[in-house]
């Protein structure tokens, strides 16, 4: 058994516990994320609103993945990346 496998085996109970806590307290966690984002946005006078909104969305997405709310189960990093826009080509001719 390699070092990485050994580490995964030892961390699995902690991952399960964090997942359970995220499932139980997901609404409180998301409320806290929103509250923190609002405070930071007020302190920066809206200067970084777009970045704060983006970070808040990413934090909520990570919390949902921890709680397995997206239906992917435990997964192992096998999520497919989001689709990117098609490559730019010549403009269509009419």
């Amino acid at each position: 058994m390699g070092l990485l496998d050994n580490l995964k085996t030892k961390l699995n109970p902690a991952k399960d516990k964090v997942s359970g806590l995220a499932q139980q307290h997901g609404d409180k966690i998301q409320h806290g994320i929103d509250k923190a984002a609002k405070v930071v946005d007020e302190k920066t006078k809206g200067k970084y609103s777009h970045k704060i909104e983006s970070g808040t969305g990413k934090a909520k997405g990570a919390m949902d993945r921890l709680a397995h709310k997206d239906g992917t189960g435990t997964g192992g990093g096998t999520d497919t990346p989001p689709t990117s826009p098609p490559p730019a080509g010549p403009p269509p001719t009419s």
Side-chain angles (χ1 to χ4, degrees):
M1 185 180 276
L3 177 66
L4 190 56
D5 292 331
N6 194 9
L7 187 61
K8 284 182 183 180
T9 303
K10 289 185 179 188
L11 289 178
N12 209 18
K15 180 181 174 187
D16 293 340
K17 186 171 184 173
V18 169
S19 177
L21 289 171
Q23 286 176 344
Q24 285 180 329
H25 304 290
D27 54 335
K28 292 178 184 178
I29 295 169
Q30 290 201 6
H31 178 73
I33 292 170
D34 288 334
K35 192 173 180 180
K38 182 180 177 185
V39 168
V40 171
D41 196 33
E42 289 172 356
K43 292 286 185 180
T44 59
K45 298 181 175 123
K47 185 175 180 180
Y48 302 103
S49 292
H50 182 69
K51 292 182 185 237
I52 292 168
E53 186 177 318
S54 173
T56 300
K58 289 178 183 179
K60 287 181 179 182
M63 200 281 306
D64 285 344
R65 284 191 307 277
L66 276 173
H68 306 296
K69 288 183 180 178
D70 57 357
T72 59
T74 57
T78 59
D79 296 312
T80 56
T83 58
S84 58
T93 57
S94 342

